[in-house]
Amino acid sequence: MLVAGLLLPLIGWLLWRLLSPLLRLKRQMQEVGRGHRQRVSLDTRMHELQQVADTFNHVEVERSQALASLEGRQAFLDAVLASSPVGMFVTDTEGALTYMNQALVELTGFKVYQEARHEWMRHIHPDDSATVLELWHHSMASGEDFLQQFRYYRRSGEPLWLEVHTRPAMAEDRVLGFVGTVKDITERREEEALRQWEAEHDPLTGLLNRRGFERRLEEALADWRKTGNPASLILFDLDHFKPINDEGGHALGDEMLRRIAQVVAWEVRRSDHVARQGGDEFAVLLPSCTVAHAEQLAQSLVEAVGEVEVSQGGRDFRVTLSLGLTSFQEGDERIATVIERADAAAYRAKREGRNRAVTCEVSAESDDG
């Protein structure tokens, strides 16, 4: 028992000597993990334990290099996104915003990304909102691209036209989220609208030209055939207009045309379409208008235009209307048929003495017969 008592401390001391390097290795590994040291340093004659320490140091060096490389790439990506002049954003797989770059924050007028994250959808124009959100949710669910142009209000209330394009971010056939770009296309849309306006309007009077008017007449006829919604067509030219050009000059003639345009536009409803077809020929399309109401309006035009006067050199000039009126009828397939009826009625008004409105409810061919 005396010998055993003397050996126990010795055995404990030997165990401590054997385990001490392992305990130091464990402690140093924990310190590396907490970032308090960069590598383990072990002074031991235990070859296997030294191999473990060396392997750990090698793996730690590789891990640190990989982490530094990843952090560098992330920092580079963040810098690219932040400095991009194009608005960019990232969403999760459900379509919720997880990132907006500074260009997009400024474009939408929000102060910070966190503010924009929960409010951006509320600023879509009410007329576009339902369609945009329906397509947005469809794209998120299907993984398909989202590409839409829509009207948007900045936080200040300023209207914009935006083009938004998103694509799925994939990794091994798995959707991680969506990446999108946002372009301000307001100027482009305004230019397109101006070109469209110029293509369909008369530069002298600001009324529709023949092209713009016939497009609207086609649309009204299609609506009539689909829904039965009534519409009427008025065609007229100016009586006694030639003397104004011949005696007063084209500038005076142009002034008369502008005044006629103003008077006609004032007499009709805001929903009606007025056109200068060319020369002294005008047209009025009256959607959702019965013949009875159209006849009242036609008579008002005859009276109002008859009061328009231009003067030059002490002489006053006036014009009157020869006006033809018709409405859409069963069997109308082409706008040419409707135009022919109204034109025949206008010709009859001129033939019957001018300064009057004539309604044609039958085809031009029957009328001629």
Side-chain angles (χ1 to χ4, degrees):
M1 293 294 292
L2 179 61
V3 174
L6 293 172
L7 287 175
L8 282 175
L10 178 61
I11 293 172
W13 179 81
L14 289 172
L15 288 173
W16 177 82
R17 287 291 302 270
L18 289 171
L19 295 176
S20 180
L22 184 59
L23 294 174
R24 290 202 307 273
L25 179 61
K26 176 185 177 183
R27 185 175 62 254
Q28 290 183 22
M29 284 181 173
Q30 290 173 340
E31 290 175 350
V32 170
R34 290 193 292 265
H36 295 162
R37 64 188 301 154
Q38 295 182 341
R39 62 194 307 275
V40 297
S41 177
L42 198 63
D43 182 15
T44 179
R45 293 180 181 180
M46 299 176 65
H47 180 67
E48 293 81 0
L49 201 56
Q50 187 63 53
Q51 280 186 322
V52 171
D54 292 343
T55 300
F56 177 83
N57 285 332
H58 179 70
V59 171
E60 177 60 22
V61 168
E62 291 184 340
R63 187 189 72 84
S64 298
Q65 290 175 344
L67 183 60
S69 177
L70 179 61
E71 290 176 345
R73 288 197 297 270
Q74 183 63 46
F76 177 74
L77 178 60
D78 290 343
V80 169
L81 293 176
S83 61
S84 171
V86 177
M88 303 183 72
F89 65 91
V90 179
T91 79
D92 61 19
T93 55
E94 301 298 320
L97 283 174
T98 58
Y99 173 84
M100 289 175 69
N101 71 347
Q102 188 59 30
L104 183 53
V105 172
E106 293 175 357
L107 175 61
T108 53
F110 293 99
K111 295 179 180 178
V112 291
Y113 151 65
Q114 287 79 5
E115 187 180 51
R117 180 178 182 181
H118 303 290
E119 289 194 34
W120 73 272
M121 286 188 177
R122 303 174 190 170
H123 290 256
I124 301 174
H125 192 287
D127 293 343
D128 299 340
S129 180
T131 299
V132 170
L133 295 181
E134 180 181 351
L135 293 173
W136 173 264
H137 293 308
H138 171 74
S139 295
M140 298 303 105
S142 65
E144 298 177 0
D145 282 17
F146 173 89
L147 178 59
Q148 286 293 310
Q149 296 180 358
F150 54 87
R151 289 164 291 178
Y152 190 84
Y153 290 107
R154 299 184 80 237
R155 193 170 185 274
S156 62
E158 178 188 356
L160 299 173
W161 270 98
L162 300 181
E163 180 179 87
V164 178
H165 187 192
T166 67
R167 305 192 73 173
M170 307 289 295
E172 300 179 354
D173 298 327
R174 185 167 63 94
V175 177
L176 302 178
F178 294 84
V179 179
T181 59
V182 182
K183 298 179 182 177
D184 181 358
I185 59 169
T186 306
E187 184 176 349
R188 189 174 88 196
R189 292 293 300 228
E190 289 176 348
E191 290 174 352
E192 290 173 356
L194 178 59
R195 286 195 296 270
Q196 175 76 9
W197 191 92
E198 291 175 339
E200 294 194 343
H201 287 77
D202 170 48
L204 176 64
T205 62
L207 301 179
L208 290 169
N209 59 19
R210 185 181 298 274
R211 173 182 175 182
F213 185 77
E214 290 185 352
R215 180 172 71 81
R216 288 157 178 79
L217 187 58
E218 291 275 12
E219 293 171 352
L221 181 58
D223 184 54
W224 151 255
R225 295 184 61 193
K226 182 179 179 180
T227 67
N229 188 32
S232 297
L233 172 65
I234 289 173
L235 296 181
F236 66 85
D237 62 11
L238 306 182
D239 307 320
H240 318 298
F241 180 70
K242 190 173 183 299
I244 300 177
N245 269 337
D246 292 345
E247 300 173 29
H250 287 287
L252 190 64
D254 288 349
E255 177 62 22
M256 174 60 84
L257 293 173
R258 281 192 290 266
R259 292 194 183 183
I260 296 297
Q262 292 170 356
V263 167
V264 174
W266 177 262
E267 290 291 328
V268 302
R269 303 167 303 175
R270 294 185 62 181
S271 59
D272 298 333
H273 304 291
V274 184
R276 180 191 173 210
Q277 304 269 65
D280 63 341
E281 298 176 355
F282 291 79
V284 183
L285 173 62
L286 307 168
S288 304
C289 182
T290 62
V291 174
H293 182 76
E295 287 178 335
Q296 294 177 6
L297 178 61
Q299 189 57 44
S300 297
L301 290 178
V302 171
E303 295 171 1
V305 170
E307 296 177 0
V308 177
E309 181 179 273
V310 293
S311 302
Q312 183 171 289
R315 184 177 176 186
D316 299 330
F317 296 88
R318 290 175 179 266
V319 294
T320 57
L321 300 188
S322 292
L323 185 151
L325 167 66
T326 191
S327 61
F328 292 158
Q329 299 176 11
E330 194 70 34
D332 285 342
E333 299 285 340
R334 301 176 301 115
I335 63 171
T337 303
V338 185
I339 292 173
E340 287 171 5
R341 268 203 314 272
D343 195 52
Y347 179 74
R348 190 174 4 155
K350 192 174 292 289
R351 194 172 54 198
E352 292 177 0
R354 305 180 181 183
N355 194 28
R356 67 192 63 222
V358 171
T359 301
C360 182
E361 290 297 334
V362 295
S363 67
E365 290 78 7
S366 299
D367 181 68
D368 289 342

